[in-house]
Amino acid sequence: MDKVLTRARANAVPDYVERWFAGKGWELRDYQRKMVEAFGKRRSTLLVAPTGGGKTLSGFLPSLIDIHETRAKGLHTLYISPLKALANDIERNLHRPIEEMGLSVTVESRTGDTPAGKRKRQRERPPNILLTTPESIMLMLSFPDARKLFANVRSVIVDEVHSFAPTKRGDFTALALARLAEFAPDHIRFGLSATAAHPENLAAWLGFAGRPATLLKAGLNAKPNIRIMRARKVMPYGGFLSQYAVPDIYDAIRATRSCIVFVNTRAQAEMLMQMLWTVNDDSLPITVYHGSLNREQRRRTEAMMAAGKLRAVVATAALELGIDWGDVDLVIQVGAPKGVSRLLQRIGRSNHRMDVPSEALLVPSNRFESLECQAAMNAIARGVLDGDEPVDGSQDVVIQYIVNCACGESIHPDEIFAEVTGTVPYKMLAREDFDRLFRFAVNGGTVLSNYERYLRLRPVEDGRYVAATNMVRRRHRMNIGVIVEAARLKVMKLNKTGKTGRILGEVEEGFAQGLTPGDTFMFAGELLSFARIRDLVVEARPATGGGEPKIPAYAGGNMPLSTFLADGVRHVLSTPSSWRKLPAETREWLRLQQDFSIIPPEDTLLIEHFPRGRLFHTVFYTFEGRLAGQTLGLLLTRRMERQGFKPVSFTVTDYGLAIATLETIPEEEAKALLSPDILGDDLEEWIMDAAMLRRSFRHVAIVAGLAEQQHVGQRSTVRQLTVNTNLIYDVLRRHEPDHILLTVARRDAERELLDLKRLSDMLLRFQGRLLYHGLDRASPLAIPVLTEVRTEQVRGAGVEALLAQASLALDAEQMIEDVRAALA
């Protein structure tokens, strides 16, 4: 029996580990000892522990002890991270205890950034501990030597498990774990999470078929100190970036030793970086970090931050997970957090220790966002988190998994069905549906089987299948994963010769194609002047001016407002006794609404209707997020058009939907518009004609391998992928309307692009609880929705409608003065 197992069962830890902890002035926590015990008892465990409490080391400690004492050879432990940066950070941090305790343990990382030569060597001579991502694991599982490579794996550690378990990437990871269980049946799994809203669901996801992981909760850390920034300038009514507070954000950075400034999108990161540079009179070392920057730039930023050489980093979600940034004094969240768990995760980057409270400043972009910030603070004070409930797994991922397995060895449908349905996301997958997915993986279905291009699996003996050709294997391995992104072009900052330069990162193809020579744009925290596109590289020179610079935008960057936090906003708004905690300008705005119109009751959906110029505006205060609001706006305008109200346009925020019409809408008609049957015929008529369903099909086709983002030596453009998948979509709808991919695309569209369940729940929840209020002008609460910059025009609205729309001057301050004048 292994020495480590004997010790673990006795709930003991080796003396050299105890001495190392003591030498650091630390003490082994109870849950760290229990993780060693869990390893000895071969018990999969989900550890929920606060940020800064040694959670990551708790996952690795049993492996370090076992590898050292048994002198294990080959691959012993797999660590799966949702982020490449996190894997790199863990590799850096693990070397220290290994060296200081004198352990015979080798550690390496393997991600998409790892050179090909090193990746090949890792398969031939793997380290004891391999730090990697779900995509790299699945790639390794596709090779014929995978069974031998993973045979002796004893432990799999899944970090930040809450961040991707409920997503399509979580479905993908669950299937990778299922395959690992076939190759290494004796391994156990450790999951690590700091902000688990539904830990029992995560424990079930992490465990083996029908056997959830044991849940180990480590207790709470010190409550964070969070406050909303009180800026010198007045907070605007609308807007999506806190430009009014930039001088105050800079002052906060200047007062700290080290600070992370979080924003919600990559475009916002570049914009805020530009704004901070304009006020950086002290030339403080401030930089930007997001996933579109190139590897060298990201690594350089990581190293400088860890060494304390940067005063601040403006970052996206790429830095919100468990990366140890050393002595970060303060986290600043610019813009609303959109979720309580997400905010707590980000705040945890500050004072990264369990017994020291994190320090955070929230900077709302507008007055509605200040309500959201306060609602998030209230939830954190109560110790309540939010998170996604589990849903059935996406079936396009199963198709990719079938092909992946067949690339490595022969497979039988019965065996793969057992593996797939042994995971939580696919436990309810019917055999009939699986067989349709398997047939598609073999030959593409009835229509597509006539084309050799879609023949990916061929039958061999005993009902088994293998990949049809080496080219099929090669194409599949180049396109593993479920992250579908727009085609991107590298950005090169030219040197003085103008012939070569340094690659800074990537921008999306659509942005690059909109540039003309001389245009300036912000990227990687630098002001650049576009020169040309050559060999799929955007070449640009350093710029010093030239007008308002453009900011690259990236698809899929917006974060949805969580249902839990939306309810919190409703509660804050409808509870005047809680307003005292809000910024002064928000309090004044709400009191003005109270005097002029109505504060929406918590259990009621308020509808305001008023004229403005030649148009009538109807505002629905939904508080259900932008995605559900967008879908509702598209459906309502179609219904209004049929009923003769002549809709012109609509605007959507996370908090409300405003529709402009040429005709007034009386109370009963306005309430009837929100009947749940709008999700019946109205939805069906619209969705079958919507470009959105084609977009969903394109994404599903890419994940399922019907279309490919990567080819040998090149990447497909968005236009190429769109043309190809639209052609296939039309052929299937015409000749094989029950094709499995059409079914999967429809299901994904309803869930991911339309947020139909959330919209349906809202319509049912507020039936009989609709409050209509007619006004003679816009209310204070309506102003942020009306002045939202992104407005959707109703197709076919006509010249009269467009002229009426153009004649409106939507000035927030003037509209507020109109309200004050009416009250006077």
Side-chain angles (χ1 to χ4, degrees):
M1 188 178 291
D2 294 344
K3 295 177 184 178
V4 66
L5 298 187
T6 305
R7 284 196 177 103
R9 288 184 180 125
N11 199 22
V13 171
D15 292 341
Y16 56 83
V17 176
E18 300 272 12
R19 288 195 299 270
W20 182 76
F21 270 82
K24 295 290 182 185
W26 302 338
E27 184 178 342
L28 264 168
R29 301 185 188 275
D30 181 57
Y31 61 82
Q32 292 174 321
R33 294 183 187 278
K34 287 182 178 178
M35 291 292 280
V36 175
E37 179 183 359
F39 182 90
K41 292 182 176 179
R42 312 306 296 152
R43 187 171 62 215
S44 294
T45 302
L46 171 64
L47 173 61
V48 180
T51 296
K55 177 174 71 274
T56 305
L57 184 57
S58 303
F60 282 104
L61 194 57
S63 294
L64 295 177
I65 296 169
D66 192 45
I67 295 167
H68 178 69
E69 299 213 354
T70 62
R71 297 295 188 264
K73 304 297 181 185
L75 186 57
H76 177 285
T77 296
L78 276 171
Y79 166 86
I80 302 176
S81 160
L83 294 176
K84 292 183 284 188
L86 184 51
N88 296 332
D89 181 68
I90 296 298
E91 180 181 11
R92 183 172 61 243
N93 291 338
L94 265 186
H95 282 299
R96 188 174 178 184
I98 289 171
E99 292 169 2
E100 292 178 353
M101 284 190 275
L103 304 181
S104 304
V105 179
T106 55
V107 181
E108 292 181 0
S109 62
R110 176 194 174 105
T111 69
D113 290 339
T114 305
K118 186 176 181 180
R119 292 201 302 268
K120 184 174 183 294
R121 194 266 301 156
Q122 286 172 337
R123 282 180 37 225
E124 297 168 351
R125 298 186 305 280
N128 299 136
I129 299 176
L130 186 64
L131 316 171
T132 187
T133 60
E135 292 75 22
S136 289
I137 290 257
M138 194 69 90
L139 176 60
M140 295 170 74
L141 288 167
S142 75
F143 286 95
D145 59 1
R147 191 173 289 273
K148 178 182 177 183
L149 174 65
F150 294 111
N152 296 317
V153 168
R154 300 272 286 157
S155 177
V156 176
I157 303 167
V158 185
D159 205 353
E160 308 291 356
V161 63
H162 64 280
S163 70
F164 63 104
T167 67
K168 183 177 281 196
R169 199 165 178 228
D171 302 339
F172 179 86
T173 306
L175 292 176
L177 292 174
R179 197 62 175 162
L180 277 171
E182 289 296 308
F183 294 170
D186 296 329
H187 83 268
I188 61 167
R189 299 170 186 170
F190 288 156
L192 309 177
S193 178
T195 54
H198 309 290
E200 295 79 11
N201 293 340
L202 292 182
W205 181 91
L206 181 68
F208 294 82
R211 292 179 288 134
T214 300
L215 182 58
L216 176 58
K217 292 185 178 181
L220 298 174
N221 57 351
K223 291 281 187 183
N225 295 325
I226 316 171
R227 62 190 189 279
I228 297 176
M229 175 177 280
R230 301 309 199 243
R232 284 165 285 190
K233 292 183 179 179
V234 175
M235 186 188 306
Y237 294 97
F240 64 95
L241 194 62
S242 308
Q243 186 170 4
Y244 75 99
V246 167
D248 307 275
I249 296 171
Y250 180 73
D251 288 346
I253 292 171
R254 192 167 52 183
T256 65
R257 290 174 301 169
S258 182
C259 173
I260 301 179
V261 183
F262 279 112
V263 294
N264 292 339
T265 70
R266 286 169 281 189
Q268 288 173 356
E270 293 287 356
M271 282 188 276
L272 185 59
M273 182 69 204
Q274 179 197 2
M275 294 174 191
L276 286 172
W277 268 114
T278 62
V279 297
N280 189 7
D281 298 331
D282 303 292
S283 299
L284 299 180
I286 302 173
T287 191
V288 67
Y289 188 104
H290 56 72
S292 292
L293 301 177
N294 79 327
R295 178 182 60 186
E296 288 72 22
Q297 177 126 347
R298 295 196 310 269
R299 291 280 179 89
R300 186 163 53 248
T301 299
E302 292 162 14
M304 291 178 68
M305 194 70 177
K309 295 181 179 179
L310 291 175
R311 184 65 67 90
V313 174
V314 180
T316 61
L319 284 192
E320 75 181 24
L321 298 180
I323 299 168
D324 183 2
W325 286 104
D327 297 324
V328 173
D329 302 318
L330 178 68
V331 163
I332 303 175
Q333 168 66 42
V334 176
K338 302 305 170 191
V340 179
S341 298
R342 179 183 297 120
L343 177 61
L344 197 58
Q345 185 84 42
R346 291 180 170 189
I347 288 172
R349 303 303 100 209
S350 155
N351 293 331
H352 199 68
R353 295 180 295 280
M354 188 172 179
D355 52 350
V356 178
S358 297
E359 298 286 338
L361 268 177
L362 308 186
V363 189
S365 298
N366 57 59
R367 301 187 192 194
F368 260 125
E369 286 197 355
S370 68
L371 299 175
E372 188 178 327
C373 290
Q374 187 60 53
M377 291 166 60
N378 293 346
I380 291 172
R382 299 196 315 271
V384 182
L385 301 177
D386 55 7
D388 295 323
E389 293 283 354
V391 294
D392 291 341
S394 296
Q395 294 182 4
D396 50 341
V397 184
V398 176
I399 297 169
Q400 187 179 130
Y401 179 68
I402 292 168
V403 177
N404 199 77
C405 294
C407 284
E409 59 184 35
S410 70
I411 61 172
H412 194 284
D414 293 347
E415 296 168 357
I416 301 301
F417 178 69
E419 286 180 32
V420 170
T421 54
T423 67
V424 166
Y426 298 103
K427 65 182 179 181
M428 302 303 293
L429 179 65
R431 181 61 195 246
E432 180 184 359
D433 290 336
F434 173 80
D435 288 341
R436 294 175 69 199
L437 297 170
F438 198 95
R439 284 195 297 273
F440 174 82
V442 172
N443 60 21
T446 303
V447 173
L448 298 179
S449 63
N450 296 309
Y451 301 90
E452 185 179 354
R453 161 75 176 74
Y454 304 113
L455 303 178
R456 291 189 287 173
L457 306 186
R458 61 179 174 85
V460 288
E461 70 284 346
D462 301 325
R464 305 185 74 82
Y465 290 81
V466 296
T469 64
N470 284 333
M471 181 55 72
V472 167
R473 295 183 180 92
R474 187 176 186 182
R475 291 196 336 244
H476 169 79
R477 288 172 182 146
M478 292 180 68
N479 291 279
I480 284 175
V482 297
I483 301 173
V484 178
E485 296 183 313
R488 296 185 181 181
L489 305 183
K490 294 186 182 302
V491 177
M492 176 185 286
K493 179 184 176 183
L494 296 171
N495 58 25
K496 292 180 179 179
T497 66
K499 296 179 180 179
T500 186
R502 178 167 60 92
I503 299 294
L504 299 179
E506 298 175 325
V507 294
E508 290 189 357
E509 179 185 33
F511 174 77
Q513 290 176 342
L515 296 172
T516 57
D519 282 351
T520 58
F521 64 100
M522 289 294 301
F523 186 70
E526 300 191 42
L527 182 62
L528 303 172
S529 174
F530 174 71
R532 59 185 171 269
I533 296 176
R534 182 168 58 182
D535 298 330
L536 297 180
V537 175
V538 175
E539 297 183 353
R541 298 181 176 86
T544 55
E548 188 72 20
K550 297 182 178 181
I551 305 292
Y554 299 87
N558 290 327
M559 292 181 172
L561 174 67
S562 75
T563 301
F564 176 83
L565 191 51
D567 288 342
V569 173
R570 281 194 185 98
H571 179 74
V572 171
L573 185 60
S574 63
T575 313
S577 61
S578 68
W579 295 354
R580 56 185 175 77
K581 299 178 181 178
L582 297 169
E585 53 264 64
T586 303
R587 295 197 302 270
E588 187 264 348
W589 171 59
L590 295 181
R591 290 191 186 110
L592 205 56
Q593 172 71 16
Q594 201 173 34
D595 293 341
F596 181 75
S597 179
I598 296 172
I599 295 292
E602 191 169 355
D603 61 349
T604 302
L605 193 153
L606 174 64
I607 305 170
E608 289 183 332
H609 183 72
F610 48 84
R612 181 161 178 79
R614 294 158 58 188
L615 297 176
F616 295 90
H617 295 269
T618 309
V619 183
F620 304 86
Y621 295 97
T622 56
F623 297 95
E624 291 296 342
R626 189 180 297 274
L627 201 55
Q630 181 88 2
T631 302
L632 183 61
L634 290 164
L635 294 174
L636 285 179
T637 51
R638 288 176 75 94
R639 182 169 274 192
M640 288 176 174
E641 202 165 6
R642 280 204 314 272
Q643 295 179 10
F645 295 120
K646 300 180 182 178
V648 177
S649 64
F650 68 88
T651 57
V652 183
T653 71
D654 279 324
Y655 318 105
L657 161 69
I659 301 179
T661 58
L662 285 171
E663 302 293 336
T664 186
I665 305 179
E667 178 174 354
E668 291 308 312
E669 283 85 345
K671 290 180 177 179
L673 288 169
L674 290 178
S675 62
D677 65 6
I678 198 171
L679 298 182
D681 292 342
D682 289 274
L683 174 66
E684 195 63 31
E685 179 186 336
W686 169 66
I687 198 172
M688 295 309 296
D689 189 41
M692 169 275 310
L693 196 53
R694 292 177 180 272
R695 176 188 167 200
S696 180
F697 182 82
R698 184 174 79 244
H699 285 203
V700 165
I702 290 170
V703 172
L706 191 62
E708 295 163 351
Q709 296 186 102
Q710 299 283 359
H711 301 275
V712 179
Q714 64 180 0
R715 183 183 178 95
S716 296
T717 65
V718 173
R719 186 174 184 278
Q720 289 169 334
L721 287 169
T722 301
V723 169
N724 291 342
T725 56
N726 281 352
L727 179 62
I728 297 170
Y729 176 79
D730 290 335
V731 168
L732 293 180
R733 277 193 62 185
R734 189 177 306 116
H735 299 290
E736 198 176 349
D738 61 345
H739 193 282
I740 185 64
L741 275 204
L742 294 178
T743 304
V744 174
R746 170 65 180 261
R747 189 178 300 142
D748 275 17
E750 291 181 358
R751 185 170 73 183
E752 298 174 11
L753 301 180
L754 299 178
D755 214 353
L756 274 192
K757 183 179 185 305
R758 188 168 179 180
L759 179 55
S760 174
D761 289 346
M762 184 203 76
L763 293 173
L764 292 172
R765 174 182 178 184
F766 291 114
Q767 273 306 292
R769 296 175 177 272
L770 302 173
L771 178 60
Y772 178 95
H773 196 53
L775 301 166
D776 63 357
R777 67 197 69 196
S779 74
L781 211 60
I783 291 170
V785 186
L786 292 175
T787 54
E788 166 67 29
V789 295
R790 290 164 287 195
T791 297
E792 298 281 347
Q793 298 293 333
V794 174
R795 193 165 53 181
V799 175
E800 179 189 2
L802 295 177
L803 288 174
Q805 177 84 16
S807 68
L808 279 180
L810 294 175
D811 181 275
E813 293 296 340
Q814 183 58 54
M815 284 191 276
I816 285 289
E817 288 306 316
D818 289 346
V819 171
R820 289 197 178 102
L823 289 172

